[in-house]
Amino acid sequence: MILAAVFMALLCLLVIVGVPLVVSLASVTIGYFLVTGAWQLALAQQTIQAIDDFVLLSLPLFVLAGAIMNVGGITARLFTFAAALVGHFRGGLAHVNVATSVLFGGMIGTSVADLAGTGSVIIPSMKERGYPAPFAAALSASSSGIGPLLPPSSPMILYSAVTGVSLSSLFLAGVVPGLLLGGIFMGVVAVMARGGRFERGSPFDVRIALRAARAAILPMGMPAIILAGLVLGVFTPSEAGAFAVAYGIVLAGPLYRQLSFARLYKACVDTVILTGEIMLVVGISAALGWALSLAKVPAELTALIDAANVADSAFLTLCALLLVALIAGMFLDPLIPVIVPILLPTLIALKVDLLHFGILIVVTVVIGQVTPPVALSLVVAAKIAKVDVMAALRANTPFLVATIALLLVLAAVPGLALWLPRVLD
């Protein structure tokens, strides 16, 4: 257990000093195999076995679909629709920021991709309207975390591949928490806007809202069609991903005439690079998880959590597991393919509901992306806003507290996430 902790600390240290995660993970895994005398051939076997998963075939397809949507003129339509719906509130552009992330994130499924698509449009607009640059960066970084909770979600695809939990169930379970997170952020903005701190937008106009809705209805239809197809058994996950790519190409190409061959090529290149990195992380992490299981680290972790949970409370058990994941999430991105193979035997031994934990770990991923020392989403947003990362970090405090509060509520009330898959799946 101590040796495993040393190697995990070494992994975090390597990431902090700037070594790429794939290189850090491979170095630590190979080192652990050599030091412990684990069967070295298993390193290659476990790596290949982990990525030889049918569900993972959908990952590059959904990533490509999101990239096509990103370069295909979708952002402006969704931004206009969100502005027509909520732009009339006090702090209207901040509300539009959150609403756009709900709409756009549901198609992209990753925080950083959401930021690339919406942040480059909304952050400059907020600065022009007089919003403080750190606030604009903080809100954009936090609201981009709504995307991973809404289908199609890349973190959920990875979790499904590692644990075997139904992908359609995960997609359904994330809908309510994702909408709750958006509502909570808008509530935080409303509180901060009291006293005339932020501007008020134009009055609500039904005709403008209807016109914007007509322009945005086709892009918004993609997540709904994918989710319905998976739940009704029309699509397998990989078929749903292929449909999403075709849908995106038709929208951005013939209909909107925004998808040139150069933009499509860039989307394909970005997809290949991102997918390659994620697949390496998934495979190597599985090998590390196998070696740690062989050394009985999960069994010792289970015993440690059992001993600490004197009240025999399922909520306290979840909190202990989430604390481990939160600490790891501060350093590791992507988190799920690294930490879940290590925690999975412990989750099974403690009889944790894997579907429920899947939603909790995705929220943990969202928190990790705005928490130092890595804070990837916050760094990207601060770069777009041209503001110091520490200033954005301070401005993000209310949104970070709200996200942690939602995580605790979801852990205490599983029904918030589980009722929809129980009813529909």
Side-chain angles (χ1 to χ4, degrees):
M1 183 74 171
I2 296 176
L3 183 62
V6 169
F7 272 89
M8 294 306 294
L10 177 61
L11 172 62
C12 294
L13 179 62
L14 290 173
V15 172
I16 291 173
V17 299
V19 180
L21 178 60
V22 173
V23 177
S24 303
L25 192 58
S27 302
V28 168
T29 302
I30 293 170
Y32 188 80
F33 268 72
L34 292 174
V35 170
T36 59
W39 187 35
Q40 295 176 23
L41 185 59
L43 176 58
Q45 290 179 339
Q46 293 295 321
T47 300
I48 297 299
Q49 183 178 330
I51 61 177
D52 185 20
D53 191 302
F54 188 70
V55 172
L56 285 177
L57 187 60
S58 65
L59 180 64
L61 294 170
F62 280 123
V63 171
L64 178 58
I68 291 170
M69 290 285 194
N70 219 349
V71 301
I74 307 300
T75 306
R77 293 171 180 270
L78 296 178
F79 180 80
T80 302
F81 178 54
L85 284 182
V86 298
H88 59 283
F89 294 130
R90 173 75 65 183
L93 205 52
H95 289 294
V96 170
N97 189 323
V98 178
T100 304
S101 289
V102 172
L103 299 173
F104 195 69
M107 287 178 284
I108 301 301
T110 63
S111 297
V112 176
D114 181 14
L115 265 177
T118 63
S120 57
V121 175
I122 295 179
I123 291 176
S125 299
M126 291 182 69
K127 290 173 66 178
E128 289 174 5
R129 296 281 189 89
Y131 290 85
F135 173 79
L139 177 59
S140 299
S142 288
S143 66
S144 70
I146 298 169
L149 284 164
L150 298 173
S153 163
S154 296
M156 290 183 188
I157 294 171
L158 293 171
Y159 184 84
S160 174
V162 173
T163 62
V165 174
S166 165
L167 185 58
S168 61
S169 296
L170 282 167
F171 281 175
L172 285 170
V175 171
V176 172
L179 296 178
L180 276 175
L181 186 59
I184 290 170
F185 285 163
M186 293 182 76
V188 172
V189 168
V191 171
M192 296 178 71
R194 288 185 305 181
R197 181 180 177 188
F198 299 144
E199 47 81 38
R200 182 185 294 275
S202 303
F204 180 75
D205 189 314
V206 175
R207 290 173 299 177
I208 294 176
L210 290 175
R211 194 182 310 126
R214 282 196 299 270
I217 191 167
L218 288 177
M220 290 190 300
M222 189 187 78
I225 294 171
I226 289 172
L227 187 56
L230 287 171
V231 171
L232 297 174
V234 177
F235 299 140
T236 64
S238 55
E239 290 168 348
F243 171 81
V245 171
Y247 192 92
I249 290 175
V250 170
L251 281 188
L255 287 181
Y256 299 156
R257 301 185 182 278
Q258 297 289 322
L259 186 64
S260 64
F261 283 109
R263 288 182 173 181
L264 180 60
Y265 175 76
K266 183 181 184 301
C268 291
V269 170
D270 291 344
T271 298
V272 169
I273 293 172
L274 178 59
T275 303
E277 291 175 353
I278 291 176
M279 290 298 186
L280 281 172
V281 171
V282 169
I284 297 170
S285 299
L288 179 60
W290 177 85
L292 293 175
S293 296
L294 200 66
K296 299 183 179 179
V297 171
E300 294 183 25
L301 181 61
T302 302
L304 183 63
I305 292 175
D306 265 340
N309 188 7
V310 292
D312 194 25
S313 165
F315 175 71
L316 293 179
T317 298
L318 280 176
C319 287
L321 291 166
L322 291 173
L323 180 61
V324 173
L326 276 170
I327 294 172
M330 294 178 185
F331 304 93
L332 306 176
D333 186 28
L335 171 67
I336 286 176
V338 179
I339 197 68
V340 173
I342 297 170
L343 291 180
L344 185 58
T346 302
L347 295 172
I348 295 172
L350 294 173
K351 299 180 180 179
V352 174
D353 187 321
L354 294 181
L355 176 58
H356 181 213
F357 190 78
I359 301 305
L360 298 178
I361 197 73
V362 172
V363 179
T364 302
V365 169
V366 171
I367 294 171
Q369 290 184 330
V370 292
T371 309
V374 178
L376 182 60
S377 291
L378 208 58
V379 170
V380 173
K383 186 176 180 180
I384 295 173
K386 298 178 181 178
V387 69
D388 181 64
V389 175
M390 292 308 297
L393 177 64
R394 288 190 292 271
N396 191 53
T397 301
F399 303 108
L400 179 60
V401 171
T403 310
I404 294 173
L406 176 64
L407 177 64
L408 294 175
V409 170
L410 290 173
V413 189
L416 287 174
L418 299 182
W419 77 269
L420 193 58
R422 284 172 179 167
V423 170
L424 297 179
D425 198 10

